């Protein structure tokens, strides 16, 4: 059998796309596959590596999707989403976020991930720069590269609760800056920006004509007196500069349904719609009907999950803070905590690799998020596992 790689007339492999073959595969997935191998070998592994809620999708949402499938929602829909769902999202933006997006400005996609990447494709020209506060969600830099743009990282500090300052933002701006990504509540930091902090960021963006991608996927997971605020709702000018991304994965524990959405100024929404129509077309029809039930149904399920996350957050923060040689910034959102490992003299990859092999605990190395001084623990895991895992981490750190 011949293949393009070994055909006698074609001894050298055919070149693939130079830019996209450079995309890195996720370190988190490497650790996850090592953990899976250990589990398969019968080892009791405590997993804090993953970023998805551990709850089932609420029953009424599942039932709405079964019913939709039986009612014929098994075909293509409008590329940007079923009209009733876009109406419901428009209403959600109005009610929860004080944002007026007409259904025509809303795109329903196969996850917030797709919304982010198509937005970048829609707004960036080759060589444009996108500012990403670091530590960041692993996917942002690669999305920027997919869009043929250039990621520009700005290192945030623990002292400023892992949030970019307006001064840092301004310093990073060049004539090629097109967009800044603001993710609040944040992955992997758990940070929540206040309205005043967002206003200061918006003012810099407005002064330099920079667009803002506001990723609000963890909106519903905020704790204590932290409040989520939507940057686009600051004023009409902020609205015009902002693309607001959200989805169902985290609030309703619907990661596998692949359902997200965005609201954007009309001229941006139009380009995103067109890209999506040629790429994936609509999000799964019956997932969309599940999403409609999620938005229109009782929101107690969201609050129940939030309360459970909050218990775990408090426990994890207290336990980590009590371990000698480490510390953490208290997270007020999402379901992650960054543990400082600087005093142990190991890289984050070495720390997480050894923690896995010597103590059977999975954490995500900070280097995957652009910061080698930390590891990320997700508290999307039940309390018994959190307790056991933290005992192991404490014993492991004591040996270092
Ligand atoms: N944005 C952030 C910050 C995330 O952490 C994630 C998922 O981990 C997403 C977006 C993607 O969400 P979705 O499942 O809707 O694609």
């Amino acid at each position: 059998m011949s293949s393009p790689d070994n055909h006698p007339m074609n001894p050298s492999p055919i070149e693939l796309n130079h830019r996209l073959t450079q995309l890195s595969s996720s370190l988190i997935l490497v650790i996850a596959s090592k953990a899976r191998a250990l589990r398969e070998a019968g080892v009791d592994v405590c997993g804090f590596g993953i970023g998805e809620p551990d709850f089932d999708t609420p029953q009424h949402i599942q039932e709405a999707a079964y019913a939709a499938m039986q009612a014929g929602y098994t075909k293509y829909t409008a590329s940007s989403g079923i009209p009733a769902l876009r109406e419901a999202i428009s209403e959600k933006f109005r009610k929860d976020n004080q944002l007026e997006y007409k259904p025509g400005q809303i795109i329903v996609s196969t996850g917030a991930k797709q919304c982010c990447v198509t937005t970048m494709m829609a707004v960036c020209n080759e060589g444009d720069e996108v500012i990403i506060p670091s530590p960041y969600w692993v996917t942002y830099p690669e999305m920027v590269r997919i869009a043929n743009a250039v990621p520009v990282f700005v290192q945030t500090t623990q002292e400023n609760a892992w949030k970019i300052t307006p001064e840092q933002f301004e310093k990073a701006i060049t004539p090629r800056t097109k967009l800044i990504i603001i993710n609040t509540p944040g992955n992997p930091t758990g940070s929540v920006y206040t309205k005043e902090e967002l206003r200061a960021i918006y003012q810099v963006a407005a002064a330099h004509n920079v667009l803002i991608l506001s990723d609000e996927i963890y909106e519903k997971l905020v704790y204590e007196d932290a409040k989520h605020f939507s940057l686009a709702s600051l004023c009409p000018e902020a609205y015009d500069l902002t693309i607001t991304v959200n989805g169902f994965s985290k609030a309703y524990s619907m990661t596998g349904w692949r359902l997200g959405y965005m609201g954007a100024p009309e001229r941006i929404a139009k380009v995103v719609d067109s890209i999506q129509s040629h790429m994936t077309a609509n999000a799964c029809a019956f997932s969309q009907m599940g999403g409609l039930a999620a938005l229109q149904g009782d929101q107690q399920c969201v609050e129940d999950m939030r309360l459970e996350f909050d218990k775990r957050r408090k426990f994890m923060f207290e336990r980590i803070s009590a371990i000698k040689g480490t510390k953490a910034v208290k997270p007020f959102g999402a379901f992650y905590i960054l543990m400082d490992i600087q005093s142990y003299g190991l890289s984050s990859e070495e720390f997480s690799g050894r923690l896995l092999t010597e103590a059977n605990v999975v954490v995500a190395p900070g280097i995957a998020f652009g910061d080698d001084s930390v590891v990320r623990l997700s508290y999307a895991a039940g309390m018994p596992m959190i307790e056991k895992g933290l005992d192991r981490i404490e014993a492991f750190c004591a040996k270092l």
Side-chain angles (χ1 to χ4, degrees), residues 306-317:
R306 190 192 71 83
L307 290 172
E308 184 56 35
F309 280 131
D310 192 21
K311 259 193 257 164
R312 301 167 180 183
R313 175 189 70 99
K314 286 186 190 128
F315 180 82
M316 222 179 210
F317 176 68

Side-chain angles (χ1 to χ4, degrees), residues 32-45 356 360:
S33 77
K34 279 192 198 155
R36 198 172 318 114
L38 281 174
R39 277 200 189 99
E40 279 164 11
V43 178
D44 169 29
V45 175
L356 178 58
N360 301 324

